[in-house]
Structure formats: C-alpha cells, structure tokens
Amino acid sequence: MSKFALLPIEKVKLDEENPRIAEILKSRRNVTAELIELALGSGRDVNDPSSTSYSSLKESIRANGGIINPIIVKSKNDDTYVAIEGNTRLQIYKDFSKNRVPGNWSEIPAIVYDEMTDDEVDQIRLQCHLVGPRPWDPYAKARYLYQLNIVEGKPLNQLVSFCGGKASDVTAMIDAYKDMEEYYRPIINEMGIDFNAKKYSAFREAQNKNVADAIARAGYTKADFARWVAEEKIDKMSGPRALPKILADKEAKEKFLSENVTEAKKILDAKEVKGFEEFENMPLNNMLSIVARRLSTLPWREMEKLKSDVDYSDNRQAIYDLKDDLDMMIETIEE
C-alpha cells in the first residue's frame, strides 16, 4: 500500500543504488553535494538535444514554488525514507533549503511505500528511467541492467517485461557496459584521464554485428576499439558505424589509425562524390530541399529494405550519420 505525504527533506535520503550516484560513490572518497548534482545531471548532454538540463529543472521548480509530481520513497525502520524515484528533485530541494532560496523547501511531496519488494523497486526504477519521462543517461541505464542481470541474477525476460523493448537491445546495453568496464576503464586509468560515461554510445554502437565483424576481420580486438575511443579516434557518436567501410579501405584505414574517424571519412567521401561536384557546390538550402524531398517520397519497398536488407546497410548508415550531424548542427544553432 502507498500513501501521499509531505516529508521533511532531512528524513529523505538519496538512493545510493541510483546508477548515477553509485558511480560517484565508487570513484570518489569525499562525495560533496556538488558532485551529487553533477552525477544527477547537472549540465546538458550536448549529444542529446531532447534532454532537460539540471539547471532548467532547478529553475522550473524554483519558479513554480515546488514540484508537480511527487517523488516515490520507501520507508525504513529508523523513521527515515529512501528516494526510489525522484533523486534529482530531492537534491534540488536540499540545495534550495541549504542556500535559503525563498520558498518552502523543508518538506517535499512524496508517495510513501511502507513495504516494497526488491522486484517492485526495480520495476519502478526501470519504468521511470529507462522508458519513462525522466530517463537516466545511457551509461546509467546499462549499469543498472548489468547490476540486475549479471550481479543479482535477475532473468533477462523479467527485465524486458519491466522496461519493454527487445531482449536483444537489453543484452546489447549490458554487453556494452561490460566492454566499457573491462577494456575502456583500465585504458583511461593507464592514460591518466577521467572516465567519460558519454563514451558509452560508441561501445553500444560496437555491439552491432556489422561493426563487430568488421573490427574482427581487420584483425583488431575489443581492447583496440576501447583504445581508439580513449584516444579520440572515434571522435563522434556515429563513428563506429563508419568503421566497416574505413577498415576495408587501405588509405582510409591508415588515416583513421593516424588521426580519427572524421578525417578517414573525408577520404571515403572524396572517392564517393566523384561525378557529383555540381551537387556538392549547390547552395545549402537547395541541397537540403532535394534531400528532404527524396526522403519524403521514398517508395514503401525501399523503406522495407532499409529495415532489413544487408545491401541497404550503406544507406542506413548515411541516414543515421545525417541525423547525428543535423542534431549537432541544430544544437549549435539553438545555443
């Protein structure tokens, strides 16, 4: 059973099993409020234009004088509570209270559960933060799925039933997290650079069969891939998707190994655009109009082939690359 209550914020503890907080606790001895703010999403992810920044949420709560959706807490035996869902909002309340921001921040609206099974806790976290309106960052999602499946032994089909989607996607997320921890973390420790959770997207892309096969065919390993990421040779989100073509081309491969994916793709692009010089020199608005018209009038059969036909993999990659570049351009324009 659950009930609604206004809880004193000093009695509500942050959830140390929240993947973002847990990462900070694992890597730092002295955990400050500022570090927790950073862990909970202080700052906007430039690779995710749809993400809401911590500062924007903070300002919204201040302007409205509180939160609309109550946090979800589990009561403990010592008359305190732990925030199962809503750690970011709780931290904002604590910050406002500490800094004496005008308003009533001493109590926070909450849905209180006196009794919750571990499965119920997991279900709330997964539904709220994997597919819900307040998603964790991709690395945090994968870390939590790894904890549940590999460490705690929860069956894969149970996790899929909690958060939806495909079993193959959940498996790929877990495998990407494992690769990042097994290969990337030791390398960046050796190099003396900070761990960057945003690099997770590259490891997730590397789980795709065509990328993994291309790396293996070229005689490289997961450790090599991790070092490429650490050395910024994979310098954009779509980088891994370009590896099959780059590694198959001697000149592009040498450029990649000496510099990065972006420079290697320039070599491939130069070879592919021969005969299209007129289009390449076209004004940007005209070029984009042609591309938009071509995509909007794509026949149904071609759309179906894009979903599954191996021969259309180059077209799929080009579409994904275009989306990544447009997202980054829109982000820059809006700034």
Side-chain angles (χ1 to χ4, degrees):
M1 292 289 293
S2 64
K3 61 183 178 183
F4 174 82
L6 288 172
L7 300 178
I9 59 167
E10 68 271 12
K11 287 193 172 186
V12 188
K13 310 300 181 185
L14 293 166
D15 178 14
E16 293 186 0
E17 294 182 11
N18 178 298
R20 290 178 291 181
I21 298 175
E23 182 62 28
I24 289 289
L25 293 175
K26 183 177 76 172
S27 58
R28 306 292 177 96
R29 291 182 179 177
N30 298 317
V31 180
T32 63
E34 289 75 17
L35 278 174
I36 290 176
E37 282 192 16
L38 184 63
L40 288 172
S42 178
R44 185 173 179 177
D45 183 353
V46 296
N47 291 321
D48 184 4
S50 65
S51 67
T52 302
S53 70
Y54 181 94
S55 58
S56 296
L57 177 60
K58 198 171 183 177
E59 176 57 25
S60 174
I61 291 173
R62 186 202 62 76
N64 287 296
I67 57 176
I68 298 172
N69 297 316
I71 65 173
I72 299 175
V73 304
K74 177 182 178 181
S75 61
K76 301 178 72 177
N77 295 330
D78 59 356
D79 197 31
T80 63
Y81 307 85
V82 60
I84 300 303
E85 197 283 316
N87 282 271
T88 302
R89 286 167 287 156
L90 173 60
Q91 177 59 31
I92 289 172
Y93 264 65
K94 288 178 180 290
D95 179 69
F96 284 167
S97 179
K98 176 184 175 182
N99 292 294
R100 298 182 180 180
V101 173
N104 180 18
W105 311 110
S106 61
E107 295 180 320
I108 189 167
I111 302 297
V112 182
Y113 285 84
D114 290 327
E115 294 182 4
M116 293 183 79
T117 66
D118 289 343
D119 282 349
E120 287 171 337
V121 171
D122 293 334
Q123 189 168 3
I124 288 173
R125 287 187 184 130
L126 289 169
Q127 288 179 349
C128 289
H129 297 294
L130 264 75
V131 294
R134 293 175 293 278
W136 287 327
D137 63 83
Y139 175 81
K141 293 179 185 180
R143 187 182 193 279
Y144 191 55
L145 289 170
Y146 172 87
Q147 174 69 26
L148 295 179
N149 181 236
I150 305 301
V151 179
E152 299 180 15
K154 292 189 184 294
L156 187 65
N157 60 354
Q158 184 181 25
L159 301 184
V160 174
S161 70
F162 283 169
C163 62
K166 300 177 182 177
S168 58
D169 290 337
V170 174
T171 300
M173 291 173 70
I174 293 171
D175 288 344
Y177 172 82
K178 287 164 59 178
D179 288 349
M180 201 170 184
E181 294 299 308
E182 184 175 350
Y183 302 106
Y184 174 72
R185 193 180 287 275
I187 287 171
I188 58 108
N189 287 342
E190 169 195 313
M191 295 172 65
I193 59 178
D194 291 336
F195 183 85
N196 186 350
K198 292 179 181 179
K199 297 297 184 182
Y200 169 83
S201 61
F203 289 87
R204 175 61 184 86
E205 288 287 345
Q207 304 307 310
N208 294 330
K209 188 176 185 303
N210 64 322
V211 176
D213 288 350
I215 293 171
R217 276 198 308 270
Y220 297 104
T221 65
K222 290 183 176 183
D224 292 318
F225 178 82
R227 189 166 291 278
W228 296 338
V229 174
E231 293 176 348
E232 301 290 342
K233 295 186 186 300
I234 311 289
D235 58 336
K236 56 193 301 185
M237 288 179 66
S238 61
R241 292 198 296 266
L243 286 180
K245 295 181 76 172
I246 288 173
L247 295 176
D249 184 285
K250 183 179 178 181
E251 189 179 357
K253 175 182 169 182
E254 289 176 354
K255 194 69 171 177
F256 164 67
L257 294 175
S258 63
E259 297 191 41
N260 53 45
V261 161
T262 299
E263 296 305 313
K265 283 186 68 177
K266 288 179 182 178
I267 292 174
L268 294 178
D269 291 343
K271 294 178 179 180
E272 291 174 356
V273 299
K274 287 182 178 178
F276 293 92
E277 289 83 359
E278 183 179 345
F279 182 76
E280 192 177 23
N281 295 324
M282 185 180 295
L284 181 62
N285 63 319
N286 295 77
M287 183 188 300
L288 293 176
S289 295
I290 292 172
V291 172
R293 187 164 61 249
R294 176 74 175 91
L295 292 175
S296 66
T297 58
L298 203 64
W300 177 81
R301 285 186 177 181
E302 286 196 47
M303 285 293 293
E304 288 299 304
K305 287 183 177 180
L306 282 170
K307 292 181 183 179
S308 57
D309 195 328
V310 175
D311 292 337
Y312 270 60
S313 61
D314 287 351
N315 289 335
R316 275 205 307 273
Q317 180 183 316
I319 291 170
Y320 288 134
D321 288 349
L322 176 62
K323 178 185 181 301
D324 290 342
D325 290 338
L326 286 174
D327 283 344
M328 194 172 297
M329 181 176 288
I330 290 169
E331 175 77 16
T332 303
I333 291 170
E334 289 182 345
E335 284 179 355

